[in-house]
């Protein structure tokens, strides 16, 4: 039964981590990090992301313009770009590492310690990717709340609000963290049964021949 739970935990962990990594990549490029609705013109909406700002008009449709300068961006957007790339890179590395340590793969069956180490390393990488995914969206959300309730800005001035990409980024970071926890739990649980089938039979014959040679000597 422990081996069944271990296999389920590995499958759930790698699946959640993969889903979190895909959502994190989408969050990186979506322009809906912040939304702005104009009271004077309800047919015109603005959105802002890490790479571009867009205006949505009922007659014209969506028009987007990329930011011209990296240094001209607010600090939260500059740091968010770096952290998002770090999160995506760590997530991809975690998928490659932890995928090699899954029990369902026949490679490295005789080296249980190596597969356990790969799972633990993959879980740590997913944790790091999850934190790197949560930090930017949380920072942008915090700055948005600060600017929204800024009393020095006149009430007639439109305020930016949370965009859909922020919620997607929070889910992505949560999935990466949970996936990493499941993989580490599976790695520290009962080890899977040793290799079976032809490989196990070959190992048995080898040990038998080895003992017979010692008896003959």
């Amino acid at each position: 039964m422990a081996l069944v739970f271990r296999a389920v935990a590995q499958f759930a962990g790698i699946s959640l981590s993969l889903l979190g990594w895909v959502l994190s990549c989408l969050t990186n490029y979506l322009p809906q990090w912040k939304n702005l609705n104009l009271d004077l013109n309800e047919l015109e909406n603005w959105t802002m992301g890490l790479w571009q700002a867009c205006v949505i008009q009922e007659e014209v449709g969506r028009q987007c313009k990329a930011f011209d300068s990296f240094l001209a961006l607010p600090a939260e957007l500059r740091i968010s770009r770096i952290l998002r790339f770090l999160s995506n890179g760590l997530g991809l590395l975690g998928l490659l590492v932890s995928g090699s340590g899954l029990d369902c793969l026949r490679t490295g069956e005789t080296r249980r310690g190596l597969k356990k180490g790969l799972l633990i390393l993959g879980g740590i990488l997913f944790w790091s990717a999850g934190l790197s995914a949560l930090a930017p969206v949380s920072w942008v959300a915090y700055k948005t709340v600060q600017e929204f309730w800024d009393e020095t800005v006149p009430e007639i001035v439109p305020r930016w609000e949370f965009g859909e990409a922020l919620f997607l980024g929070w889910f992505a970071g949560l999935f990466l963290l949970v996936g990493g926890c499941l993989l580490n739990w599976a790695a520290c649980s009962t080890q899977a049964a040793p290799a079976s089938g032809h490989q196990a039979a070959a190992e048995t014959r080898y040990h038998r021949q080895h003992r017979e040679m010692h008896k003959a000597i």
Side-chain angles (χ1 to χ4, degrees), residues 107-121:
T107 56
E109 280 186 325
T110 58
R111 305 179 64 181
R112 310 307 307 173
L114 175 60
K115 294 177 76 70
K116 176 180 178 180
L118 289 175
L119 281 180
I120 294 176
L121 178 58

Side-chain angles (χ1 to χ4, degrees), residues 2 5-6 21 24 40 56-58 80 117 120 124 130 136 151-152 155 164 185 193 202:
F5 284 122
R6 174 185 170 90
W21 179 74
S24 180
L40 299 178
I56 305 172
Q57 297 174 324
E58 185 174 343
S80 293
I120 294 176
I124 295 174
E151 297 180 354
T152 61
E155 293 184 0
E164 295 81 359
W185 178 83

Side-chain angles (χ1 to χ4, degrees), residues 12-30 33 83-84 87-88 90-92 95 123 125-138 164-181:
I14 199 70
S15 299
L16 284 176
S17 300
L18 176 60
L19 177 59
W21 179 74
V22 171
L23 293 179
S24 180
C25 292
L26 290 176
T27 305
N28 191 19
Y29 296 103
L30 286 177
W33 280 59
L83 291 177
R84 297 306 303 185
S87 175
N88 295 339
L90 290 174
L92 178 60
L95 288 172
L125 289 172
F126 285 136
W127 284 349
S128 303
L131 294 176
S132 300
L134 290 174
V137 292
S138 300
E164 295 81 359
L166 293 183
F167 299 96
L168 198 64
W170 278 318
F171 278 113
L174 179 62
F175 288 156
L176 286 168
L177 289 176
V178 174
C181 290

Side-chain angles (χ1 to χ4, degrees), residues 40-114:
L40 299 178
N41 186 3
E42 297 181 355
L43 301 180
E44 182 176 291
N45 298 323
W46 289 78
T47 63
M48 179 185 295
L50 298 181
W51 308 95
Q52 59 186 355
C54 301
V55 56
I56 305 172
Q57 297 174 324
E58 185 174 343
E59 297 179 355
V60 182
R62 180 189 296 270
Q63 292 180 320
C64 297
K65 184 180 185 300
F67 297 127
D68 296 327
S69 173
F70 174 78
L71 298 178
L73 293 174
E76 65 269 18
L77 295 185
R78 294 199 305 268
I79 302 301
S80 293
R81 284 189 182 185
I82 299 173
L83 291 177
R84 297 306 303 185
F85 277 124
L86 179 63
S87 175
N88 295 339
L90 290 174
L92 178 60
L93 185 60
L95 288 172
L96 296 176
V97 171
S98 58
S100 302
L102 296 177
D103 291 340
C104 59
L105 297 181
R106 299 298 299 270
T107 56
E109 280 186 325
T110 58
R111 305 179 64 181
R112 310 307 307 173
L114 175 60

